Amino acid sequence: MPGKLKVKIVAGRHLPVMDRASDLTDAFVEVKFGNTTFKTDVYLKSLNPQWNSEWFKFEVDDEDLQDEPLQITVLDHDTYSANDAIGKVYIDIDPLLYSEAATVISGWFPIYDTIHGIRGEINVVVKVDLFNDLNRFRQSSCGVKFFCTTSIPKCYRAVIIHGFVEELVVNEDPEYQWIDRIRTPRASNEARQRLISLMSGELQRKIGLKVLEMRGNAVVGYLQCFDLEGESGLVVRAIGTACTLDKLSSPAAFLPACNSPSKEMKEIPFNEDPNPNTHSSGPSTPLKNQTYSFSPSKSYSRQSSSSDTDLSLTPKTAPYPQGPRIYLCPSSPSLSCGSLHLKKSCLLLSESSLTPHHSSLVSPVLRKSVSFSEELFLAASGMGSGSAGKEGGPFKALLRQQTQSALEQREFPFFTLTAFPPGFLVHVGGVVSARSVKLLDRIHNPDEPETRDAWWAEIRQEIKSHAKALGCHAVVGYSESTSICEEVCILSASGTAAVLNPRFLQDGTVEGCLEQRLEENLPTRCGFCHIPYDELNMPFPAHLTYCYNCRKQKVPDVLFTTIDLPTDATVIGKGCLIQARLCRLKKKAQAEANATAISNLLPFMEYEVHTQLMNKLKLKGMNALFGLRIQITVGENMLMGLASATGVYLAALPTPGGIQIAGKTPNDGSYEQHISHMQKKINDTIAKNKELYEINPPEISEEIIGSPIPEPRQRSRLLRSQSESSDEVTELDLSHGKKDAFVLEIDDTDAMEDVHSLLTDVPPPSGFYSCNTEIMPGINNWTSEIQMFTSVRVIRLSSLNLTNQALNKNFNDLCENLLKSLYFKLRSMIPCCLCHVNFTVSLPEDELIQVTVTAVAITFDKNQALQTTKTPVEKSLQRASTDNEELLQFPLELCSDSLPSHPFPPAKEHLESASSNSGIPAAQRAMTVEKASPVGDGNFRNRSAPPCANSTVGVVKMTPLSFIPGAKITKYLGIINMFFIRETTSLREEGGVSGFLHAFIAEVFAMVRAHVAALGGNAVVSYIMKQCVFMENPNKNQAQCLINVSGDAVVFVRESDLEVVSSQQPTTNCQSSCTEGEVTT
Amino acid sequence: MTSELDIFVGNTTLIDEDVYRLWLDGYSVTDAVALRVRSGILEQTGATAAVLQSDTMDHYRTFHMLERLLHAPPKLLHQLIFQIPPSRQALLIERYYAFDEAFVREVLGKKLSKGTKKDLDDISTKTGITLKSCRRQVVEEMRGSLVDNIQQHFLLSDRLARDYAAIVFFANNRFETGKKKLQYLSFGDFAFCAELMIQNWTLGAVDSQMDDMDMDLDKEFLQDLKELKVLVADKDLLDLHKSLVCTALRGKLGVFSEMEANFKNLSRGLVNVAAKLTHNKDVRDLFVDLVEKFVEPCRSDHWPLSDVRFFLNQYSASVHSLDGFRHQALWDRYMGTLRGCLLRLYHD
């Protein structure tokens, strides 16, 4: 399907002076696409040239349209010597290739030079005319929408969530080609930027093809990463979740999709399909057709010329030397694990058996899946011992089968989403992760990137089997990452094992009535906490109790997940950011020896990271982690582990036990005293944290326990929890049995350090909260002010004191100080919450540690807490009482305002307790905090007002979240995926490393904003800085930095504006703007 | 453990007003941190000194990057690198171009050149303003034109733009302001006079078309002023003028007798100042002359300000009743402004 690309160069401004003699510039512009180049006239002697060129027209294949970026070069004309380049602009025209996004790109773009940074701006207009062409064998995938957002985008409805798509392409890195020795740094940087742009275009196109094969029309949770493998090449890889999305405002939303293909899926030429109904949600689809939308990837793998992971699971053993893989298997011995791994898991198991004292924490730690639950009938089949349930058994069994079969046809039942439509998530098993250490070797043939593909296939396979061991058939919140140092590479993947509702995975309308019945039976608020595996055949020892919410099903005592907190989960109090930080020294080694050393260290690091997480979670008095992200970074002489997650108190899970310290050395008076002192400190901290995060679980009366066979252990737990809540002192007394108490042994200095470090974490100053998930549990009244920021710190370790302990302390201080700085800088926004706090650690050199943080600060109004808590409750009650039909269609929660709000349980006691426990104190505290905060915030607050008339630059908001508080996203304009290199040979003159990087990041923000504004947008959501590689050579006065960012460009409308509009024209806006009412009713 | 690199970049550029002020005042990072510590910010926020140091460095770096744009404020509005809300932009510019009165008073009337910049050291010690801050203030003055222009090009508030116009006007006409006799006058006094003169005595004042002529005094007007000489040269006119003024003011003035005795001297002084303005040198000495010829004599006789006002009003009004005098309009244009200036200059 060819297309015509049209480009017009309008004007330039603020150009740099290129001719010293006249203090002016004779600028002209080259416009290049593919191999075609056009030039404008030279505009003599001006720093603000007005070219006003004709339309330059490129006639190109749509394949090229997807792969190639439009390249605009601004030059200074020189009669006698070569023309000097001023800078370049790369424009990704992908957003113009699908109908719902932007129709024109027009605006001022910063002119960027990799050596000098931004040098003026250029005004460009770009349009694309596409000609329809129904060629089935085409290589392009124009029309498939891409979203970075890891939930179903607002203003869309998921018809089907197809599942995992992945792809990778490799190439040689221009920086390491022989030619790089003779060309200028600028040429080399530009070659790299262009290559990566090309590769990501190609990658996106190939993923698009897979999506079309699956009959989807969009990729959600699209994550693209670069691996700079140095000598061995450059890998660009991407994962995502294929979906069929419906625009919510479309009146035809509930009609079969085939009736309005042009509207929804402009480019999908499946009209000639014999069974068009198959991807519709119409009620009459015959049963036999239902499964075919999960076409296994094989059918299309041949089409895309590169790297499909083949499903024949005969592992293509890599011809490269390969370190032993880390395999922290959550499985019982009966589960087979590859011979390679056996050694590892044995090692770990033996370790755990050697120290039986630890057993209570070993179980969650060693298997990275820390969750347990019940609901046998639904969950069991993964373990092969399903039993029919009490109510709704047959239906569920059927449902189970369908889901099972649906997912088993899939290569990898993975979902990169972290938030889901209501009802999608049935149960959550726990975190599954896998890591593997590989040695890099030159990629010999870029067209056959099979080794890299095989590596990832292995890891994914492992994840899949972990999930199975947990009785789960799917993995949600899935992500992949790498860490590379010289020729060693650690590949990591993690996700959350889960049981899903098949309704969203297929055209599940066949059994509409059945589902409706099921819907009634499914526990809504606490269901996801219930264990998906068989209680009698648990993959690991765990403590189960009856759910504190419904009292019917079993739940684990702690739950770790990589996803966002489900919107319908009941949380007590507020959440907080919990981090585990760890360093391990390693000997410098080469190749295989190095890989082996790393492999040997990894399990210990994982173990410690989990222990730390668990300790800190208990210290906070919480019982669940969301958004868990564990990053292991490899350096020359050390390994770093950083885990971040948001801790919360889930009402459905039991009250966490405290931490008890036990000393090994007996009969030492002073030692005992020391221990008891520490114990007291810990207990005090727990009490303080409970108050700080407003964790006051409601009292539990024993009569609710309707368990048929109450196990003694659970009985005692329940009793305990009752006594706890009735008496504060006993709550901290921890006198209950050893099995529940979390015992920390301090038998050596190391452990002592650990305990100390537990207590050194300082809570954020009052008025501040922080979390790494989308929304802060327990806060629901966001105001509209947001501030996204990136902060980078690099510290140099003095090589003298390189011990593990000193290293740990340095790293810990680095992170804590960084957080403190953030709180100080943003103090004018109090009360506010840092959301989506994303830490990235890298080890650029021997003694350097670099930490990069991106997050968004959002203000909230504490005074409104009472009013707003009421409304969601009413809403949810209403919702619960309305027809199930609506629940089935489930478009409701997708709208922006209901997301931040936090629904409360319909049960009356809970309602009361919720408002009395969290609501009122929050409001009261708000008053005091407001008074206490010394910095007047009114000043700053007002500034989010619309831009003043004399400013020509529109405000573009950026946020790592998928929504904008107080506003409604009305349109997605396309994906922003940009890669920049900046280099300097005058580091001192540019203000040293800090000045250099500060300016560069500011420039990157500026370029992102400019692109969004040119697309007609006013915000970037789901913004992420995926890479920030910084290298310096102060002796040579040089530095280089690579940054890769992405996000979704959107148009948003303030909710207040929206109301004005709708009140003005109450009748005509039904179609143009989908308001809440229309969607929900 | 040393911090090699430490940066914070917000999508909206954070501007801390207090730190901005410290930066404008030319304090080093170390001094600024010390001052901030003294302000008690650590106790208020519970932050550590290291945090404060990092924060201050960060703001200084931002300001340093912004300074390039502040030299041409319209650029600040159109640039894309820093997303700053309009109200903050205005604040940045306004504060950047604000000056210390003491400093400007010192520089006023000096030829702004490289020579002056060397002298800044002296001024700096004299006024207690740090040198860096002085340099900033000098840069600005080199560029100004007149009120509207300044406002347009530098996006300053009305008040600040007027002050700049005054400075530019003084610098352009090289008025002498440094004499010892004039030391008692503040910048505000001069700025007031400058504004009156710009409004009434320049070409732009008569002809609104000639916008960029605000800088120079209306040469024709200055030439015409010679005609006023008749008021003192013609003995009859002078006597008539005196009697008119004396009749009107009798009993109303506390210092009537002194006025009566000095009338001829004062009148001669005022008119002679007018007549001399054709020469550049005398224009330069305008303020010296006014003080010598009018302010000082009155002050030595302890005229209260109200009496000076009565006198000047009557003095200029009575001329209208002088039948033989034909340059009424010219007189009004001259005296109207001069009266205002003299009243402002008349203080201790």
Side-chain angles (χ1 to χ4, degrees):
Chain A
M1 182 188 60
K4 194 187 273 178
L5 172 69
K6 300 192 290 183
V7 183
K8 185 183 177 121
I9 306 295
V10 183
R13 69 182 181 195
H14 305 153
L15 295 188
V17 170
M18 297 301 282
D19 179 2
R20 282 286 155 83
S22 65
D23 266 5
L24 289 167
T25 297
D26 304 326
F28 71 101
V29 181
E30 275 182 10
V31 185
K32 189 176 175 199
F33 189 83
N35 294 319
T36 319
T37 306
F38 291 101
K39 282 182 193 176
T40 66
D41 298 333
V42 177
Y43 195 90
L44 289 172
K45 301 202 184 311
S46 172
L47 298 182
N48 301 292
Q50 304 288 320
W51 292 289
N52 225 345
S53 77
E54 58 188 298
W55 285 99
F56 299 122
K57 296 184 181 106
F58 301 86
E59 285 175 358
V60 277
D61 266 358
D62 52 351
E63 197 181 329
D64 287 340
L65 278 175
Q66 285 192 295
D67 289 4
E68 294 268 351
L70 175 67
Q71 182 181 319
I72 293 167
T73 314
V74 186
L75 299 112
D76 178 51
H77 178 75
D78 204 325
T79 325
Y80 305 108
S81 58
N83 298 325
D84 295 328
I86 295 173
K88 284 192 154 92
V89 179
Y90 291 98
I91 302 177
D92 179 12
I93 47 172
D94 208 52
L96 295 178
L97 301 182
Y98 43 88
S99 55
E100 283 155 33
T103 52
V104 63
I105 299 176
S106 165
W108 288 99
F109 291 89
I111 302 168
Y112 181 72
D113 179 71
T114 59
I115 305 293
H116 293 104
I118 290 179
R119 305 171 97 189
E121 290 119 39
I122 184 169
N123 194 325
V124 181
V125 185
V126 185
K127 286 181 178 172
V128 172
D129 290 337
L130 282 177
F131 312 123
N132 264 327
D133 170 356
L134 300 179
N135 178 5
R136 295 196 71 155
F137 305 101
R138 65 216 182 101
Q139 292 289 304
S140 87
S141 55
C142 290
V144 174
K145 292 181 276 284
F146 284 81
F147 301 91
C148 293
T149 302
T150 55
S151 55
I152 301 301
K154 321 284 178 286
C155 74
Y156 284 96
R157 186 180 77 100
V159 180
I160 309 168
I161 298 174
H162 299 280
F164 192 59
V165 279
E166 49 77 32
E167 183 68 85
L168 67 81
V169 292
V170 297
N171 211 317
E172 274 187 78
D173 191 337
E175 184 102 340
Y176 295 90
Q177 285 165 346
W178 66 269
I179 195 170
D180 202 58
R181 291 184 197 158
I182 52 168
R183 66 180 165 192
T184 63
R186 174 181 285 122
S188 172
N189 291 338
E190 283 174 0
R192 248 175 143 188
Q193 282 190 172
R194 197 182 127 70
L195 177 72
I196 287 186
S197 185
L198 260 171
M199 285 168 79
S200 35
E202 182 190 344
L203 194 69
Q204 214 169 312
R205 174 173 58 82
K206 286 182 170 169
I207 290 223
L209 278 171
K210 292 191 174 182
V211 172
L212 290 180
E213 281 293 327
M214 295 165 110
R215 324 242 145 180
N217 63 359
V219 181
V220 179
Y222 184 68
L223 179 70
Q224 189 190 69
C225 291
F226 302 97
D227 297 331
L228 300 166
E229 294 185 352
E231 291 283 342
S232 54
L234 190 64
V235 176
V236 186
R237 58 191 163 79
I239 55 175
T241 306
C243 296
T244 302
L245 297 183
D246 246 3
K247 188 128 204 222
L248 271 183
S249 56
S250 160
F254 301 132
L255 295 178
C258 60
N259 286 352
S260 57
S262 55
K263 264 190 188 136
E264 304 305 326
M265 303 164 247
K266 170 182 159 195
E267 301 303 335
I268 300 184
F270 291 134
N271 306 24
E272 73 272 35
D273 202 292
N275 269 312
N277 268 339
T278 42
H279 58 179
S280 76
S281 50
S284 60
T285 318
L287 212 156
K288 52 183 172 178
N289 286 334
Q290 57 153 337
T291 45
Y292 103 35
S293 64
F294 327 103
S295 47
S297 56
K298 278 175 201 153
S299 57
Y300 53 84
S301 59
R302 257 156 266 132
Q303 273 194 17
S304 53
S305 60
S306 77
S307 70
D308 259 22
T309 17
D310 210 61
L311 242 215
S312 54
L313 280 179
T314 42
K316 301 170 198 163
T317 23
Y320 311 100
Q322 170 186 2
R325 260 190 330 180
I326 311 309
Y327 185 71
L328 291 172
C329 175
S331 58
S332 52
S334 68
L335 273 164
S336 63
C337 26
S339 56
L340 256 177
H341 324 130
L342 257 175
K343 193 182 80 190
K344 271 300 145 238
S345 45
C346 284
L347 183 140
L348 287 172
L349 284 172
S350 64
E351 183 200 57
S352 67
S353 59
L354 279 175
T355 54
H357 226 93
H358 278 216
S359 65
S360 65
L361 59 153
V362 162
S363 67
V365 168
L366 277 188
R367 7 237 144 213
K368 349 212 148 158
S369 28
V370 201
S371 68
F372 324 64
S373 139
E374 48 183 287
E375 206 150 15
L376 327 163
F377 31 84
L378 261 194
S381 72
M383 305 298 296
S385 64
S387 57
K390 311 165 210 169
E391 352 95 82
F395 290 125
K396 286 194 179 179
L398 183 54
L399 170 100
R400 179 77 192 173
Q401 260 176 7
Q402 282 169 355
T403 320
Q404 200 67 28
S405 64
L407 285 164
E408 264 167 12
Q409 285 178 47
R410 260 169 245 196
E411 190 176 357
F412 298 112
F414 298 169
F415 300 86
T416 53
L417 304 180
T418 58
F420 308 92
F424 182 79
L425 207 57
V426 181
H427 303 298
V428 168
V431 172
V432 286
S433 78
R435 286 180 213 284
S436 151
V437 183
K438 300 285 184 189
L439 276 181
L440 299 172
D441 197 357
R442 186 171 282 278
I443 301 166
H444 296 286
N445 183 2
D447 292 332
E448 307 256 324
E450 261 141 25
T451 3
R452 301 296 184 278
D453 248 349
W455 290 355
W456 285 113
E458 271 173 42
I459 290 221
R460 288 169 193 149
Q461 206 55 45
E462 210 169 305
I463 291 275
K464 191 178 173 184
S465 65
H466 287 358
K468 230 178 198 164
L470 284 171
C472 296
H473 55 231
V475 176
V476 294
Y478 179 74
S479 67
E480 294 176 347
S481 62
T482 57
S483 171
I484 297 171
C485 179
E486 302 292 317
E487 75 261 279
V488 175
C489 172
I490 302 182
L491 310 183
S492 313
S494 72
T496 304
V499 175
L500 305 179
N501 186 334
R503 187 154 50 82
F504 302 95
L505 303 174
Q506 53 183 296
D507 327 316
T509 43
V510 215
E511 65 280 72
C513 55
L514 176 124
E515 275 186 47
Q516 256 180 29
R517 302 263 314 260
L518 279 178
E519 206 69 46
E520 291 159 27
N521 296 331
L522 281 176
T524 46
R525 310 250 163 249
C526 52
F528 78 95
C529 303
H530 302 160
I531 53 164
Y533 36 85
D534 183 358
E535 188 189 1
L536 303 171
N537 196 3
M538 280 199 303
F540 41 80
H543 304 293
L544 301 181
T545 40
Y546 280 95
C547 173
Y548 277 50
N549 191 24
C550 66
R551 303 270 142 213
K552 286 178 190 144
Q553 317 286 3
K554 299 235 167 127
V555 293
D557 53 356
V558 272
L559 184 62
F560 283 16
T561 74
T562 57
I563 55 171
D564 274 346
L565 183 71
T567 41
D568 54 356
T570 315
V571 170
I572 293 173
K574 296 198 165 62
C576 75
L577 179 72
I578 291 179
Q579 282 194 324
R581 305 159 186 141
L582 187 69
C583 305
R584 278 283 171 274
L585 286 170
K586 141 185 113 60
K587 285 208 183 79
K588 280 191 188 179
Q590 291 301 308
E592 260 177 273
N594 195 16
T596 314
I598 294 169
S599 305
N600 288 337
L601 271 174
L602 276 182
F604 293 98
M605 293 195 64
E606 302 252 9
Y607 174 89
E608 276 197 44
V609 163
H610 276 89
T611 313
Q612 259 191 50
L613 280 178
M614 191 68 93
N615 287 342
K616 289 188 175 174
L617 184 68
K618 300 245 174 198
L619 205 61
K620 293 277 192 305
M622 299 174 182
N623 58 17
L625 285 182
F626 287 89
L628 176 64
R629 189 169 159 265
I630 302 176
Q631 198 197 352
I632 303 266
T633 311
V634 59
E636 282 276 280
N637 56 350
M638 62 178 110
L639 284 173
M640 312 279 282
L642 178 66
S644 307
T646 301
V648 293
Y649 187 104
L650 281 179
L653 299 193
T655 314
I659 300 173
Q660 195 177 336
I661 296 182
K664 266 264 170 89
T665 331
N667 305 325
D668 184 343
S670 66
Y671 190 68
E672 291 287 318
Q673 203 178 1
H674 181 69
I675 297 256
S676 68
H677 177 69
M678 296 283 281
Q679 181 71 58
K680 190 177 173 301
K681 248 169 114 179
I682 287 181
N683 293 349
D684 289 351
T685 314
I686 295 180
K688 217 169 67 201
N689 280 330
K690 280 193 176 175
E691 198 181 316
L692 182 65
Y693 299 107
E694 295 157 19
I695 300 169
N696 322 299
E699 289 195 19
I700 284 141
S701 56
E702 209 175 335
E703 23 109 5
I704 313 175
I705 311 164
S707 91
I709 328 144
E711 292 164 46
R713 200 208 304 158
Q714 277 149 8
R715 166 76 66 182
S716 68
R717 277 190 78 120
L718 287 171
L719 281 169
R720 175 172 50 80
S721 65
Q722 191 187 23
S723 65
E724 267 174 18
S725 40
S726 60
D727 186 347
E728 280 240 287
V729 185
T730 50
E731 180 178 356
L732 301 171
D733 190 29
L734 304 170
S735 53
H736 42 271
K738 259 216 173 112
K739 285 196 167 162
D740 289 5
F742 202 75
V743 182
L744 270 186
E745 244 181 56
I746 30 177
D747 44 4
D748 55 24
T749 41
D750 257 13
M752 209 59 171
E753 283 294 315
D754 289 349
V755 176
H756 272 298
S757 71
L758 267 185
L759 296 167
T760 50
D761 279 12
V762 207
S766 86
F768 264 111
Y769 292 93
S770 54
C771 63
N772 77 333
T773 45
E774 283 251 307
I775 47 163
M776 176 70 176
I779 298 179
N780 50 24
N781 40 335
W782 305 109
T783 46
S784 59
E785 193 193 331
I786 63 171
Q787 166 71 293
M788 189 280 297
F789 58 85
T790 292
S791 187
V792 185
R793 270 194 193 186
V794 176
I795 56 160
R796 184 176 290 278
L797 303 159
S798 52
S799 51
L800 295 172
N801 59 354
L802 277 187
T803 62
N804 275 338
Q805 268 178 37
L807 214 56
N808 274 338
K809 187 175 180 313
N810 278 334
F811 184 39
N812 215 34
D813 288 351
L814 171 61
C815 295
E816 284 292 320
N817 289 338
L818 188 47
L819 280 171
K820 275 185 211 157
S821 268
L822 297 181
Y823 296 137
F824 180 76
K825 282 215 174 279
L826 299 162
R827 66 193 184 283
S828 64
M829 293 178 78
I830 286 177
C832 90
C833 178
L834 299 187
C835 294
H836 216 286
V837 179
N838 188 5
F839 274 70
T840 319
V841 188
S842 53
L843 299 163
E845 270 174 53
D846 262 14
E847 283 141 18
L848 294 184
I849 304 179
Q850 177 191 330
V851 176
T852 311
V853 187
T854 299
V856 63
I858 311 182
T859 56
F860 61 93
D861 188 352
K862 282 193 153 185
N863 292 323
Q864 278 178 12
L866 259 186
Q867 300 156 14
T868 42
T869 46
K870 281 257 163 94
T871 28
V873 175
E874 280 159 16
K875 260 189 201 165
S876 65
L877 280 174
Q878 249 180 2
R879 244 174 236 165
S881 66
T882 46
D883 199 350
N884 268 328
E885 190 69 32
E886 287 160 29
L887 273 173
L888 275 177
Q889 302 293 358
F890 82 95
L892 34 131
E893 312 279 64
L894 303 181
C895 293
S896 57
D897 90 327
S898 61
L899 211 162
S901 73
H902 184 75
F904 279 81
K908 264 203 179 146
E909 46 176 296
H910 277 271
L911 205 156
E912 279 161 17
S913 68
S915 57
S916 64
N917 283 340
S918 60
I920 293 168
Q924 281 168 348
R925 260 172 44 131
M927 309 291 274
T928 56
V929 168
E930 212 89 78
K931 274 178 204 154
S933 72
V935 190
D937 49 3
N939 219 357
F940 204 88
R941 187 81 35 94
N942 295 336
R943 248 163 281 118
S944 54
C948 157
N950 65 348
S951 164
T952 52
V953 184
V955 172
V956 175
K957 300 219 171 202
M958 291 168 77
T959 171
L961 308 179
S962 65
F963 67 98
I964 292 166
K968 194 176 171 67
I969 294 171
T970 52
K971 197 174 181 192
Y972 280 80
L973 299 167
I975 201 166
I976 296 279
N977 188 9
M978 298 167 94
F979 178 82
F980 299 104
I981 301 177
R982 180 86 152 78
E983 190 166 346
T984 184
T985 49
S986 52
L987 187 58
R988 272 187 296 277
E989 293 78 355
E990 292 191 36
V993 284
S994 296
F996 170 72
L997 195 60
H998 190 147
F1000 183 38
I1001 292 180
E1003 285 174 342
V1004 169
F1005 285 1
M1007 288 184 277
V1008 170
R1009 288 193 301 257
H1011 275 80
V1012 172
L1015 286 169
N1018 55 6
V1020 190
V1021 296
S1022 301
Y1023 167 82
I1024 175 173
M1025 183 177 280
K1026 288 176 294 192
Q1027 218 137 24
C1028 177
V1029 184
F1030 178 71
M1031 290 156 288
E1032 57 167 325
N1033 190 343
N1035 298 330
K1036 283 188 179 170
N1037 206 16
Q1038 285 177 342
Q1040 192 193 32
C1041 186
L1042 294 82
I1043 286 184
N1044 178 217
V1045 296
S1046 66
D1048 293 327
V1050 299
V1051 181
F1052 72 87
V1053 183
R1054 288 243 159 268
E1055 255 153 27
S1056 48
D1057 300 346
L1058 211 69
E1059 278 159 27
V1060 173
V1061 170
S1062 57
S1063 65
Q1064 276 168 350
Q1065 6 167 265
T1067 46
T1068 53
N1069 72 333
C1070 318
Q1071 295 191 1
S1072 56
S1073 68
C1074 77
T1075 57
E1076 216 77 290
E1078 283 153 23
V1079 180
T1080 44
T1081 53
Chain B
M1 181 180 84
T2 48
S3 221
E4 286 273 302
L5 185 157
D6 178 6
I7 57 160
F8 174 99
V9 192
N11 184 37
T12 305
T13 306
L14 280 183
I15 308 283
D16 187 307
E17 288 181 42
D18 299 333
V19 184
Y20 188 52
R21 204 185 295 273
L22 291 171
W23 178 73
L24 287 178
D25 288 348
Y27 291 103
S28 70
V29 173
T30 327
D31 294 345
V33 170
L35 281 170
R36 291 183 83 188
V37 169
R38 237 172 286 157
S39 76
I41 196 164
L42 293 186
E43 290 74 32
Q44 282 166 21
T45 57
T48 62
V51 166
L52 202 62
Q53 167 86 19
S54 139
D55 180 66
T56 312
M57 289 274 280
D58 218 61
H59 283 299
Y60 267 56
R61 206 165 34 240
T62 310
F63 298 144
H64 184 72
M65 286 189 260
L66 281 170
E67 187 163 28
R68 195 174 47 88
L69 298 162
L70 280 167
H71 288 163
K75 262 195 186 168
L76 185 70
L77 250 65
H78 295 288
Q79 55 86 28
L80 303 174
I81 298 178
F82 301 97
Q83 184 159 274
I84 306 171
S87 62
R88 287 260 122 167
Q89 285 182 349
L91 178 125
L92 281 177
I93 296 168
E94 192 77 14
R95 292 267 174 85
Y96 188 77
Y97 286 97
F99 43 72
D100 295 283
E101 287 219 341
F103 166 75
V104 171
R105 176 68 189 81
E106 214 45 59
V107 176
L108 209 60
K110 284 199 177 155
K111 199 180 169 197
L112 292 170
S113 66
K114 280 176 187 162
T116 315
K117 285 194 178 174
K118 275 178 202 152
D119 294 340
L120 285 177
D121 251 335
D122 305 338
I123 301 171
S124 162
T125 45
K126 243 192 226 169
T127 56
I129 300 162
T130 47
L131 184 68
K132 198 178 155 201
S133 176
C134 289
R135 284 209 187 287
R136 167 178 60 81
Q137 295 180 23
V138 169
V139 173
E140 310 357 318
E141 284 155 41
M142 309 286 289
R143 300 163 180 254
S145 43
L146 64 141
V147 182
D148 282 350
N149 270 353
I150 290 174
Q151 226 171 333
Q152 240 169 51
H153 288 283
F154 290 88
L155 312 160
L156 298 175
S157 69
D158 200 44
R159 165 94 184 76
L160 197 50
R162 276 171 206 289
D163 286 352
Y164 269 101
I167 295 170
V168 171
F169 183 72
F170 267 70
N172 191 53
N173 290 295
R174 317 259 306 270
F175 286 115
E176 176 61 68
T177 57
K179 282 265 168 62
K180 209 163 186 192
K181 274 180 187 154
L182 302 180
Q183 285 304 326
Y184 78 99
L185 293 171
S186 72
F187 171 71
D189 298 334
F190 286 119
F192 180 83
C193 298
E195 198 182 334
L196 280 178
M197 280 155 44
I198 292 171
Q199 276 166 10
N200 297 307
W201 288 3
T202 57
L203 266 182
V206 230
D207 187 351
S208 57
Q209 300 297 319
M210 309 174 75
D211 255 354
D212 52 341
M213 301 305 283
D214 272 12
M215 294 280 285
D216 300 311
L217 292 170
D218 184 351
K219 285 263 152 42
E220 222 171 295
F221 164 67
L222 295 182
Q223 285 295 333
D224 292 347
L225 283 178
K226 274 191 190 158
E227 307 292 336
L228 299 181
K229 232 178 170 169
V230 72
L231 279 176
V232 285
D234 187 330
K235 189 110 190 357
D236 296 342
L237 266 182
L238 184 60
D239 286 337
L240 188 57
H241 191 191
K242 182 182 173 184
S243 66
L244 279 171
V245 172
C246 289
T247 322
L249 289 179
R250 194 180 303 274
K252 290 180 188 162
L253 231 52
V255 288
F256 183 75
S257 53
E258 289 90 336
M259 187 276 284
E260 202 171 18
N262 269 330
F263 181 84
K264 284 187 183 166
N265 275 339
L266 292 175
S267 183
R268 213 170 274 136
L270 292 176
V271 174
N272 281 338
V273 167
K276 282 200 310 187
L277 285 178
T278 38
H279 303 293
N280 274 342
K281 166 149 192 336
D282 294 310
V283 170
R284 249 179 261 168
D285 288 339
L286 176 67
F287 288 95
V288 182
D289 289 344
L290 288 179
V291 170
E292 266 176 15
K293 299 278 155 54
F294 185 84
V295 176
E296 285 183 343
C298 296
R299 201 154 45 190
S300 65
D301 286 344
H302 305 290
W303 291 35
L305 184 62
S306 57
D307 285 358
V308 176
R309 183 175 295 119
F310 270 129
F311 170 73
L312 285 174
N313 285 346
Q314 201 53 52
Y315 176 75
S316 33
S318 318
V319 171
H320 295 287
S321 318
L322 295 174
D323 292 334
F325 186 67
R326 288 166 294 123
H327 308 287
Q328 304 290 355
L330 185 68
W331 174 253
D332 281 349
R333 187 175 173 192
Y334 173 68
M335 257 334 269
T337 302
L338 205 66
R339 188 178 62 214
C341 292
L342 286 170
L343 286 173
R344 178 80 195 218
L345 297 178
Y346 191 79
H347 65 82
D348 291 328

